Amino acid sequence: MREEARHERQRETHRALYERFAAGTGLPIEQPSEPELTGTGHYRQSLAAAEDSWQEPADQEAPDGGGTDTRFLPAQAAAASDAPAFAGHEDAAQEHYPHEADAAQQAAVLSSDPHDDQTAQAAAGKAQRRKRTKRKRNLVMLATALIFALVVAGSVYFVKSVLKQFNPDDYPGPGGAAVEFTVEDGWGLKIISRKLEELDVVSSDGLFTDAVADSEAQSKLIHPGTYLLKKQMPAADAADILVNQRPDKVFYIGLKANMRLDAAIKEIAKGSGLAEKDLQELAKKPQQFGLPASVPSLEGWLHPGEYRFPLNADAEEVLGELVKATKASLEQAGITDLEEGYRTLKVASILQAEARTPDYATVAGAIENRLDPGNRETHGLLQVDSSVIYGLDRYSLQFSAQEKQDASNKYNTYVHTGLPPTPLGSPANSAIEAAAHPESNGYYYWVTVNIETGETKFASTYAEHRQNQAEFRAWCNQNPGVC
């Protein structure tokens, strides 16, 4: 407000000066004091206002008709008719009022008012500080959000870990290695459940206790005796075996993978007390177990595993349960047609005898390549030793050159094309799965070059295969008595 008042007084002074010059009085007005320099903007406004008021030409007559007194006007004003009158008056102001002219000149020279510069700099600094403060605030908020998220995630993980200790997940089943579990006289449910957890039969004693409580058995008693269980069983499966079962009224059978039919019959007879002769006769009648007419015996159909049967179970019940397990394995691999299933069992039995589990699918692909009668490497011959020795009723892979050419051996795959007449034993689930889904590859040959590690190398040509065989022989020479 004070700045505006000062500017207004300056404009009035200029108007009074002009009126006296125009009237020709020749009486100079009192010399104004030197104005404060507060910025060129104020002086430019003052000069612009004065210019607006000094628009009359220098030679215009006075309003009363008298001549204009030009004693105090510059001489150049009358010469330039088209120039603004303010130019002459500006010179006059400089001549008669040097202090005011010097002040205006000083204001014109200044590029900006220091006060305005300081104000602008303060405003810019304030904006920068606000920007930095906002950036810091955003970073703090982001860091806080990240820390909060980490704390929440860690808390959830910790809570889950704690809860899992008190309520662990149940094992999915069906279980692993066989475990003989003996219940002693006087053991209650708490002791039995704790022992089962210690043996890793169940994941938690609490889960087993709950499974016993949820059992549909009329009696929830667990009788003393020895039971055949598995490592990492579902708690409900363990409860079904233990609850209200008397172990002295059952017998157990355990069959290994790729066990031949004769060996399996002897093992069943040993565990069950059933007559081996009766089992042999029944094994020659596969159609009684729902198998196709093309199946000559139960070779390959007695699924490996551990089984428990009542003491009064007969031979047909026992063999029927083993065949049922093989059918279930085929269905699990996606095969429901039993004719196709029989072919799958043949391939799977060769995998079980010739390869390691990680190589099953690759060897299965090579077998399928060999079975193609149009292939130029084996022309439909499998050429597998495991089949030859099966026909010779041996377990050793060694046989003579003459036996290798013996066409009377129906299982001699060096002479007869296609698959052998029957499986070579009872394959496990992994071999059945690989035989049902062989790997597509270009291999025809495979050989184990290191018996200790089981390393197997594959080849697409016989020349490559011979190099792999040489590697195997070199390993045998370095490890005498192993091959």
Side-chain angles (χ1 to χ4, degrees):
M1 296 294 294
R2 286 182 294 180
E3 292 288 331
E4 284 294 327
R6 183 166 60 251
H7 294 327
E8 183 62 28
R9 288 195 301 272
Q10 291 175 352
R11 285 194 291 271
E12 290 176 359
T13 301
H14 284 291
R15 281 196 296 270
L17 176 65
Y18 175 76
E19 290 175 357
R20 292 190 180 190
F21 284 160
T25 58
L27 297 176
I29 64 173
E30 183 179 355
Q31 181 173 325
S33 60
E34 184 175 344
E36 297 179 3
L37 294 180
T38 59
T40 57
H42 298 310
Y43 278 97
R44 288 170 182 168
Q45 292 177 2
S46 301
L47 294 176
E51 183 180 357
D52 292 339
S53 63
W54 295 346
Q55 293 298 321
E56 291 182 319
D59 57 350
Q60 184 177 349
E61 294 184 354
D64 56 359
T68 301
D69 190 344
T70 60
R71 286 178 300 169
F72 297 96
L73 296 179
Q76 297 92 323
S81 60
D82 56 343
F86 180 75
H89 293 294
E90 180 180 2
D91 294 339
Q94 291 177 355
E95 179 180 353
H96 295 280
Y97 301 98
H99 296 290
E100 184 175 343
D102 292 342
Q105 206 170 28
Q106 182 178 1
V109 170
L110 294 177
S111 60
S112 61
D113 184 24
H115 178 72
D116 291 346
D117 289 345
Q118 293 177 0
T119 303
Q121 291 176 0
K126 187 175 181 181
Q128 290 179 355
R129 285 194 298 274
R130 279 200 304 267
K131 188 174 181 181
R132 287 195 298 268
T133 302
K134 184 176 181 181
R135 187 185 304 114
K136 290 180 180 178
R137 183 171 63 251
N138 292 339
L139 291 175
V140 170
M141 292 177 64
L142 178 60
T144 304
L146 290 175
I147 293 173
F148 179 76
L150 291 175
V151 170
V152 171
S155 301
V156 172
Y157 178 79
F158 175 76
V159 171
K160 285 185 176 180
S161 301
V162 172
L163 292 176
K164 194 168 184 178
Q165 290 180 354
F166 293 98
N167 188 23
D169 296 333
D170 198 1
Y171 288 131
V179 176
E180 285 189 357
F181 179 68
T182 301
V183 178
E184 302 290 347
D185 289 332
W187 281 10
L189 182 58
K190 289 185 178 180
I191 296 177
I192 294 173
S193 61
R194 187 173 67 251
K195 294 288 185 182
L196 290 173
E197 181 181 357
E198 291 174 357
L199 291 173
D200 198 25
V201 173
V202 296
S203 62
S204 125
D205 58 347
L207 288 175
F208 178 77
T209 302
D210 294 341
V212 171
D214 296 338
S215 175
E216 297 180 358
Q218 294 180 352
S219 174
K220 305 299 177 66
L221 294 176
I222 299 178
H223 299 281
T226 301
Y227 298 82
L228 184 64
L229 303 175
K230 296 180 179 180
K231 289 277 190 180
Q232 299 185 352
M233 294 180 65
D237 291 354
D240 289 341
I241 294 175
L242 293 173
V243 172
N244 200 29
Q245 300 290 340
R246 293 187 178 273
D248 57 338
K249 293 184 178 180
V250 299
F251 63 85
Y252 302 94
I253 296 173
L255 302 181
K256 297 180 180 180
N258 212 39
M259 184 176 281
R260 295 179 184 177
L261 180 61
D262 291 343
I265 293 296
K266 291 180 180 179
E267 191 66 28
I268 293 171
K270 179 181 176 182
S272 64
L274 298 171
E276 184 177 339
K277 181 180 179 181
D278 294 341
L279 293 169
Q280 290 282 6
E281 289 296 325
L282 195 58
K284 297 176 182 178
K285 302 175 182 178
Q287 284 68 42
Q288 288 189 218
F289 302 95
L291 299 179
S294 60
V295 178
S297 70
L298 293 182
E299 182 68 272
W301 291 94
L302 303 182
H303 199 268
E306 295 88 17
Y307 301 89
R308 180 172 60 91
F309 296 95
L311 280 178
N312 57 357
D314 59 21
E316 188 170 355
E317 289 181 58
V318 173
L319 296 181
E321 186 69 21
L322 302 182
V323 172
K324 180 181 177 181
T326 299
K327 291 180 180 179
S329 180
L330 289 170
E331 290 179 1
Q332 187 177 359
I335 299 177
T336 57
D337 181 73
L338 293 180
E339 288 285 359
E340 182 183 357
Y342 193 45
R343 182 187 185 279
T344 301
L345 291 177
K346 294 178 182 180
V347 176
S349 67
I350 296 174
L351 298 177
Q352 195 83 57
E354 294 269 340
R356 299 182 307 154
T357 303
D359 298 324
Y360 279 169
T362 306
V363 175
I367 289 176
E368 295 298 334
N369 293 337
R370 285 185 170 223
L371 291 175
D372 180 5
N375 84 80
R376 297 182 179 181
E377 292 294 328
T378 67
H379 306 285
L381 293 170
L382 279 179
Q383 300 175 336
V384 290
D385 296 346
S386 57
S387 180
V388 176
I389 63 173
Y390 179 91
L392 295 173
D393 196 20
R394 299 178 191 164
Y395 286 93
S396 173
L397 291 176
Q398 304 298 327
F399 50 86
S400 65
Q402 184 178 0
E403 289 173 330
K404 188 175 181 179
Q405 302 298 322
D406 184 10
S408 64
N409 181 356
K410 295 180 181 180
Y411 290 83
N412 188 348
T413 53
Y414 286 92
V415 177
H416 302 290
T417 59
L419 290 166
T422 68
L424 309 180
S426 295
N429 291 335
S430 55
I432 292 174
E433 177 69 23
H437 304 285
E439 175 187 283
S440 178
N441 55 54
Y443 298 131
Y444 291 93
Y445 307 93
W446 65 91
V447 60
T448 301
V449 297
N450 188 319
I451 295 178
E452 290 183 353
T453 63
E455 180 185 2
T456 301
K457 290 193 173 182
F458 298 87
S460 299
T461 65
Y462 185 62
E464 294 174 347
H465 181 58
R466 291 187 65 181
Q467 293 179 359
N468 295 336
Q469 286 180 321
E471 183 176 345
F472 171 64
R473 286 192 292 268
W475 186 89
C476 289
N477 292 335
Q478 296 174 1
N479 298 271
V482 179
C483 298

